[in-house]
Amino acid sequence: MNPTGLARWASDPSRSRGRRLDEGSAAPRTEHQRDRDRIVHSTAFRRLVYKTQVFVNHEGDLFRTRLTHSLEVAQLGRSVARPLQLNEDLIEALALAHDLGHTPFGHAGQDALNACMDGHGGFEHNLQSLRVVDKLEQRYPEFDGLNLCFETREGILKHCSRRNAEALCRTEPDGPARRFLDGTQPSLEAQLVNLADEVAYNAHDVDDGVRSGLITVEQLDTIALYARFRDEALAAHPRLLAMPPRRLLFETLRRMLSTLVYDLIAETRRALARHEPADADALRQLPPLAAFSAEMREPLDELKRFLFKALYRHPQVMDVTARARTVVAELFAAYVAAPQEMPADYADASDLHRAVADYIAGMTDRFALREHQRLTGRDLFAA
């Protein structure tokens, strides 16, 4: 452990690879605290409160949004980071920023924009998140974007095609896309945030799915991971049988979350003990070290397959998804045909199609619906 209290393989903010534009120190904040603060104060972060996770924002007040999802990922990430002596500020920054580039209407919006951008570079929300923090945020007098540290930008870029990586490396040869060409790994903090994201959405999509009525506890009882923790909850608290069913659901999910976090910590510790990386850079040369145990991975995958079939492909969700794709596609066509309907910064851009994609990707669900109705005269989500 170094004097900062971090493990030797953690991302030490005092040894950051720095920012694209040097700004000097912000003491007493560390570099990654500074990144987290910039993310929290960004426009894109505030917009997440009105962006779909699974259920379109107007469908109910208590369903998760991209903002509440990101907060849950941050909480889980910190829970893993502390016992492993990792950089909690970097973990939090990555968790809060990982969905900044997500479109309105969740993956339906992304798919629609990607189709619209066929022949114009495509669209991927993860790459868009990096574009948001590198370019689209307009807050500072000396640079576009948020000018975040390399380690934060590296962790935000979770996925990247070779084509996109090559394009990014042409302008920044040693930037965050390099690892997609040379086969190295991101920081351990970034690896863990990816898995915290998975834990968060598996748990809260069960909760939201039951709340919506689209999946039932009887269906969940057939899923090994859920059944295991339901039985543990009932064994510890038999009185749950006489309480409203949501109490048992909450206690089951609480136990599942805790066990997944403990399993992730333990398995990652085992991997670190096997490889003993000398520092954060040495860790990047190794295979991924953050992982669930084999005993936990298969039942977790079974739960994911269940949610995909029973919730994400539920006819009601698919109907909303289809309408959302239409909204995005028709907005795209309308703005390409009449750029003056967008703000001047977008309308006057040299690459019109990318500007339209940027503008739509930044919309909240409800703003996209209002714009679609304004431009087409139709309300595809009318009751």
Side-chain angles (χ1 to χ4, degrees):
M1 187 171 73
N2 66 33
T4 65
L6 298 175
R8 66 176 185 270
W9 46 73
S11 296
D12 184 345
S14 68
R15 299 178 62 188
S16 170
R17 295 191 195 180
R19 305 174 190 277
R20 291 190 295 176
L21 177 66
D22 182 47
E23 300 181 62
S25 171
R29 290 182 299 169
T30 70
E31 292 304 313
H32 298 130
Q33 285 178 311
R34 193 180 193 181
D35 282 359
R36 177 203 59 205
D37 296 348
R38 288 184 175 186
I39 290 162
V40 167
H41 289 284
S42 69
T43 302
F45 182 72
R46 292 195 300 278
R47 286 174 177 153
L48 295 179
V49 72
Y50 293 118
K51 288 196 176 189
T52 292
Q53 181 64 27
V54 173
F55 298 95
V56 174
N57 185 256
H58 68 262
E59 292 186 292
D61 293 337
L62 298 181
F63 296 127
R64 269 70 170 191
T65 66
R66 288 285 163 188
L67 179 62
T68 55
H69 164 70
S70 297
L71 294 173
E72 291 185 34
V73 175
Q75 179 268 314
L76 290 167
R78 288 193 305 269
S79 297
V80 176
R82 186 165 299 180
L84 293 175
Q85 296 173 310
L86 298 178
N87 184 334
E88 291 185 51
D89 297 318
L90 178 56
I91 288 266
E92 187 171 24
L94 296 177
L96 298 178
H98 81 283
D99 272 349
L100 290 182
H102 235 303
T103 60
F105 314 120
H107 288 283
Q110 172 185 271
D111 293 344
L113 262 189
N114 188 44
C116 291
M117 288 294 289
D118 185 31
H120 303 282
F123 180 90
E124 203 282 317
H125 84 269
N126 194 244
L127 188 61
Q128 188 73 7
S129 293
L130 184 66
R131 185 169 168 81
V132 167
V133 301
D134 279 358
K135 180 178 175 62
L136 297 180
E137 280 289 321
Q138 304 283 308
R139 306 185 65 82
Y140 300 96
E142 296 190 8
F143 51 81
D144 290 340
L146 303 180
N147 196 34
L148 302 180
C149 292
F150 170 86
E151 296 79 16
T152 307
R153 298 172 64 230
E154 170 195 52
I156 288 173
L157 192 61
K158 292 165 53 177
H159 312 290
C160 190
S161 69
R162 185 171 188 86
R163 182 192 66 182
N164 286 332
E166 289 172 345
L168 290 171
C169 285
R170 281 195 288 272
T171 58
E172 191 178 2
D174 294 319
R178 170 55 55 185
R179 67 185 179 89
F180 297 99
L181 301 180
D182 61 23
T184 56
Q185 304 303 321
S187 67
L188 188 57
E189 286 86 354
Q191 295 179 38
L192 287 168
V193 168
N194 288 347
L195 295 177
D197 182 26
E198 180 181 352
V199 171
Y201 67 66
N202 277 313
H204 65 50
D205 287 356
V206 167
D207 184 12
D208 284 352
V210 172
R211 183 183 297 277
S212 71
L214 300 187
I215 59 176
T216 66
V217 291
E218 289 76 20
Q219 288 175 295
L220 288 166
D221 286 343
T222 67
I223 306 303
L225 192 66
Y226 182 87
R228 168 186 166 181
F229 295 109
R230 175 210 61 201
D231 292 345
E232 287 185 9
L234 287 173
H237 305 285
R239 63 184 180 277
L240 281 169
L241 285 173
M243 294 180 175
R246 291 199 64 79
R247 291 281 192 107
L248 177 56
L249 176 69
F250 290 151
E251 179 61 15
T252 300
L253 293 178
R254 184 189 69 79
R255 288 170 177 268
M256 184 176 78
L257 281 170
S258 294
T259 301
L260 287 169
V261 165
Y262 297 147
D263 183 85
L264 178 54
I265 293 168
E267 187 63 20
T268 303
R269 274 182 174 151
R270 285 191 284 270
L272 287 165
R274 284 196 303 272
H275 292 278
E276 296 188 336
D279 55 28
D281 284 333
L283 183 141
R284 287 181 168 86
Q285 306 301 316
L286 298 169
L289 299 188
F292 297 106
S293 67
E295 294 76 17
M296 192 60 68
R297 182 75 265 178
E298 174 49 37
L300 185 57
D301 286 345
E302 181 197 17
L303 176 60
K304 290 171 65 176
R305 290 191 295 270
F306 164 76
L307 287 171
F308 184 86
K309 181 178 179 180
L311 181 59
Y312 310 144
R313 290 295 180 265
H314 189 283
Q316 184 173 318
V317 173
M318 293 299 289
D319 174 63
V320 172
T321 294
R323 284 183 278 168
R325 286 177 176 162
T326 300
V327 167
V328 169
E330 292 184 354
L331 277 175
F332 190 92
Y335 290 133
V336 169
Q340 69 275 12
E341 296 294 345
M342 300 186 294
D345 287 352
Y346 296 93
D348 298 337
S350 58
D351 185 342
L352 175 60
H353 290 84
R354 182 58 61 187
V356 172
D358 287 339
Y359 186 49
I360 294 174
M363 292 180 177
T364 62
D365 293 4
R366 61 184 186 177
F367 182 73
L369 292 174
R370 285 202 303 269
E371 278 291 278
H372 180 263
Q373 187 170 12
R374 179 180 74 85
L375 293 170
T376 69
R378 297 188 299 135
D379 183 357
L380 297 186
F381 284 83

